[in-house]
Every structure is written in C-alpha cells, then in structure tokens.
Amino acid sequence: MIIANGMAEIHFAPLQGYTDWIYRNNFARFFGGVDAYYTPFIRLESDNTFRNRDLRDIDPKNNSVPLLIPQILPGNADEFCKLTQLVRSKGYKKIDINLGCPFPLIAGKKKGAGMLPYPELVKEMLSPICDFPDVLFSVKMRLGWKNTSEAYNLIDIINNLRLEYITLHARIGIQQYKGTPDYESFSRFYQACEHSIFYNGDLKSGKELQEILEKFPKLRGVLIGRGLLSSPWVVADFRKNETKPDGERKNQVYAFHEALLNDYKNYLQGENQLLNKMKTLWDYLLPETDRKMVKRIRKSTKLSDYCSAVKQIFE
Ligand SMILES: Cc1cc2nc3c(=O)[nH]c(=O)nc-3n(C[C@H](O)[C@H](O)[C@H](O)COP(=O)(O)O)c2cc1C
C-alpha cells in the first residue's frame, strides 16, 4: 500500500467513558502508532469546581502516552480561563477546545456543538486565547448544530484566531453519531479555513484512512475514535504497512484486555465497578464477535463469569 501522505498525523479522538488514562496508557503500550491522544472533555461544575475524575485523568503522574492533549469544554470566556489555568498548571502546553459535543445536556446550555449557531458566543468564549501566549490551542468542532452553514459562518472568526489547527467532525450536532459524514460540507470549510485541518468521522480501516488523505491532500492529519475502540491495531498496521495473522492479533488484543483488567482492578473499588467498566469495552471492541458471546459478557453478574466469557472469545 502506498501511503497517500506519509507526513499526515493520526490522532486518537477523545471518547468520554472510554479513553481514560488507564485505557490510553495501555493502548499506547500494546498498539500505539498514533501521534497524539486527547483526554475526554474537562468541564467546570456548576459551583465552579473541577470533577475529581478529570483531575486524575490529566495528572501527569498517571499518564505515560507520548503526547497527551487535554480537552476543555468552556461555556464562556471566564470558564475558558479557569479551565486553561488548571490545565496549564499541570505543565501542558497544548489544549484542545470542544465545540462539537452533541449531548443534549451540554448542547442545550449552548456549549459544545450547541454553541455553533451563535457566532458572538463563540467569539467571546475564544477571546482569551491571546492571554495565554505560551499555550497552543486547537478547536474540535462539527459542521454545525442544526445545519452545515453554521461552522462555515464562523470562518472569519476562526481564521482570525491564533490556533494551531482545527479538527472537523463531518457531521452536524443533531445527527449525534448517526448518518453519514458530509464530505461536501467538510470540503467547503476545508477550502476556506486558513488553519491546518484534521478530518474526523467514521474512519475504520487503513483503506478508508488512505482514501480520505487522497481526497483531501492538504489535511494535516486525521482523528480516529470508534474505529480504534473497535480495531485498536488499525493505525499501527497502517503505519507499518502490515497485517498480522489472526492468531497473533487475537493474542495481542487479549494481552491488552488483561492489562486493562489488571489496571482497572487496582484503581476501581469493588467487583461491580470493575465489571461495569470492563463490559463497556465491548460496546465497540471486535464488532465481528459472535453476538451470543457478547450477550454472555453483557449478562455476566460476576467477574468470574465475565472472564470465562472473554476467554472463550480469545481461545
Ligand atoms: C461515547 C462517545 C464519547 C465521546 N466523547 C467525546 C469527548 O469527550 N470530546 C470530544 O471532543 N468528542 C467526543 N466524542 C466524539 C469523538 O471524539 C469523535 O469525534 C466521533 O466519535 C467521530 O469520530 P469516529 O467516527 O472516528 O468515532 C465522543 C464520541 C462518543 C461516541
């Protein structure tokens, strides 16, 4: 396979509930191949405090991946400053800003993708960028909340900001994660945007990655989320231009699973928490697995049942 753009960067998307520090560290140890990892969004609570789990997730002591970029979800300039100060105080020099979250509880408050229809709010929220000259900011956004002209209408604001790059998920917010990516609207924004751009949306294989890099040759890179939760080897294989035999692949994924189990066991309290955490892995992992086996996993109420169901899959 000829790599379309050998210089293209590949980043691992943030996925709230999935890509925490334990997951990211083990992913990098067993698969790797990606240039940067993001934390799921960090936000302020209504009483202006931070969530403990967010603090743990960005604690440099907990993180061992080569490049970690914390992501913040501010609703206004004041929250932007508080979140940036927190992240910067931990020693990070790059921060990603979330303008793409479609969760109704967030978007309903005009945060994440819910802010996209309001250019004045976006401008105000991003205005403190110039107050942090030692930080490199990027923005992760969608094509809009309700329609694809919303992100396009922000292009002058965005082009005038000091940003390292934009990551554009080629969907609108009300689509959530369904439907197909809109390449035409992506292309319109990509042509007009003066910052480097990363493509995001539905990449699952080396072939799809290659095709998108060919379709949009000016891309600085791509961001992949669910494709890596399902097939964590995809990027490493793409980089090395190889395909491992099935047996070797199974052993690799099993070893990854066992390391996650071990690390979550040391961190989470009690069997129930651990079991629930491990079950969520199977929301995406190895989608071609026999559905009966996955059902056994989902129905397990004891860790021993869970482990024997998983063992059967990897035998
Ligand atoms: C369960 C879930 C949680 C997500 N959490 C975040 C998040 O915290 N921050 C963010 O910017 N995007 C989040 N996303 C969006 C992904 O980063 C990504 O943009 C989206 O899944 C599309 O890329 P993909 O098709 O490669 O998965 C989340 C997506 C899912 C499905």
Side-chain angles (χ1 to χ4, degrees):
M1 187 196 285
I2 301 154
I3 295 180
N5 172 356
M7 301 296 284
E9 290 176 39
I10 306 176
H11 292 185
F12 197 156
L15 294 127
Q16 192 78 238
Y18 297 89
T19 59
D20 55 28
W21 51 284
I22 291 180
Y23 186 94
R24 295 188 303 262
N25 291 348
N26 280 295
F27 178 93
R29 183 174 152 216
F30 286 91
F31 302 99
V34 303
D35 301 293
Y37 298 76
Y38 296 82
T39 68
F41 63 76
I42 305 163
R43 62 172 165 80
L44 274 169
E45 296 283 66
S46 47
D47 59 357
N48 267 339
T49 56
F50 304 112
R51 293 181 295 184
N52 280 335
R53 68 163 201 220
D54 289 345
L55 296 174
R56 267 193 299 270
D57 201 44
I58 56 167
D59 187 338
K61 284 200 296 296
N62 290 336
N63 285 286
S64 57
V65 299
L67 175 59
L68 179 65
I69 306 173
Q71 184 188 68
I72 60 173
L73 188 136
N76 54 46
D78 183 50
E79 289 189 5
F80 182 107
C81 292
K82 290 194 170 90
L83 289 162
T84 298
Q85 276 153 1
L86 167 78
V87 172
R88 194 176 61 164
S89 74
K90 309 282 173 194
Y92 293 96
K93 294 277 178 259
K94 290 184 187 234
I95 297 180
D96 190 58
I97 305 155
N98 184 316
L99 271 176
C101 180
F103 299 155
L105 279 175
I106 302 275
K109 291 185 194 146
K110 298 186 181 157
K111 294 185 180 186
M115 195 186 281
L116 293 171
Y118 307 99
E120 286 309 315
L121 287 187
V122 173
K123 201 171 169 185
E124 192 268 345
M125 187 270 280
L126 295 173
S127 60
I129 285 181
C130 46
D131 301 333
F132 297 94
D134 54 332
V135 179
L136 281 175
F137 292 97
S138 53
V139 169
K140 179 167 179 284
M141 60 194 289
R142 291 188 179 230
L143 296 168
W145 171 248
K146 270 202 182 133
N147 70 68
T148 56
S149 54
E150 290 164 3
Y152 191 72
N153 290 342
L154 296 172
I155 204 80
D156 286 341
I157 296 175
I158 285 172
N159 280 344
N160 281 314
L161 289 168
R162 185 181 59 82
L163 292 171
E164 192 191 357
Y165 56 84
I166 302 285
T167 301
L168 186 57
H169 179 184
R171 281 193 173 85
I172 50 173
I174 55 170
Q175 278 183 286
Q176 301 277 332
Y177 299 99
K178 299 186 207 93
T180 47
D182 177 348
Y183 298 118
E184 221 168 279
S185 302
F186 178 89
S187 177
R188 186 164 73 132
F189 187 95
Y190 159 92
Q191 303 292 350
C193 184
E194 290 167 12
H195 300 292
S196 307
I197 299 224
F198 282 73
Y199 170 87
N200 172 232
D202 288 17
L203 298 176
K204 292 180 294 301
S205 65
K207 185 168 166 281
E208 289 171 4
L209 223 151
Q210 163 105 359
E211 280 165 6
I212 213 81
L213 292 172
E214 275 168 7
K215 199 172 167 77
F216 301 109
K218 282 192 308 180
L219 286 177
R220 170 158 162 185
V222 298
L223 180 91
I224 310 185
R226 291 165 298 171
L228 280 170
L229 294 182
S230 307
S231 312
W233 58 86
V234 158
V235 172
D237 279 14
F238 178 73
R239 290 276 195 222
K240 292 188 213 137
N241 196 13
E242 70 172 23
T243 311
K244 283 200 166 76
D246 281 355
E248 212 177 301
R249 168 85 65 234
K250 263 191 171 179
N251 291 342
Q252 189 187 19
V253 180
Y254 194 28
F256 171 58
H257 176 277
E258 294 302 283
L260 285 176
L261 182 64
N262 188 53
D263 286 357
Y264 282 127
K265 195 185 280 172
N266 289 331
Y267 165 62
L268 296 171
Q269 260 127 44
E271 180 167 329
N272 268 347
Q273 267 199 35
L274 177 61
L275 190 58
N276 288 335
K277 184 76 210 173
M278 293 309 292
K279 282 185 188 176
T280 62
L281 272 187
W282 296 92
D283 294 343
Y284 292 101
L285 186 62
L286 305 179
E288 68 285 3
T289 307
D290 184 345
R291 290 295 94 188
K292 275 197 218 119
M293 307 261 229
V294 179
K295 212 167 162 191
R296 234 190 104 190
I297 287 180
R298 292 231 166 88
K299 289 204 150 166
S300 52
T301 51
K302 285 194 296 202
L303 192 61
S304 53
D305 294 341
Y306 170 85
C307 289
S308 80
V310 168
K311 207 168 167 198
Q312 218 184 337
I313 289 173
F314 288 110
E315 258 163 7

